[in-house]
Amino acid sequence: MNIEAAASILAKIKPARRKRERYRQRDEMQHRVIPLLPADDRDKFERAMNRHFRL
């Protein structure tokens, strides 16, 4: 999986209203997507996730 595919998955997810649910969504994405990314793209995607979920 490349960073563009991972970013498109992230763009399709609408963050939940409650902070607890946003953390749950982010954790689920971390376990599903980050292990599939190349090592040099993992940090970039994790920062994008934190911005997307406003954490």
Side-chain angles (χ1 to χ4, degrees):
M1 174 177 287
N2 60 17
I3 190 73
E4 290 83 18
S8 69
I9 291 170
L10 185 60
K12 293 176 185 176
I13 296 172
K14 294 185 179 178
R17 292 180 184 222
R18 292 187 172 177
K19 196 168 193 173
R20 180 183 300 170
E21 284 297 309
R22 289 196 309 258
Y23 275 108
R24 186 193 58 74
Q25 285 178 332
R26 188 205 52 185
D27 290 345
E28 185 178 316
M29 285 293 293
Q30 282 179 326
H31 294 299
R32 281 182 32 199
V33 176
I34 288 182
L36 303 176
L37 291 172
D40 53 342
D41 286 337
R42 290 178 184 168
D43 289 337
K44 184 192 306 185
F45 186 70
E46 193 160 0
R47 286 192 305 271
M49 275 198 319
N50 288 336
R51 283 193 311 272
H52 183 74
F53 291 108
R54 291 178 248 121
L55 302 174

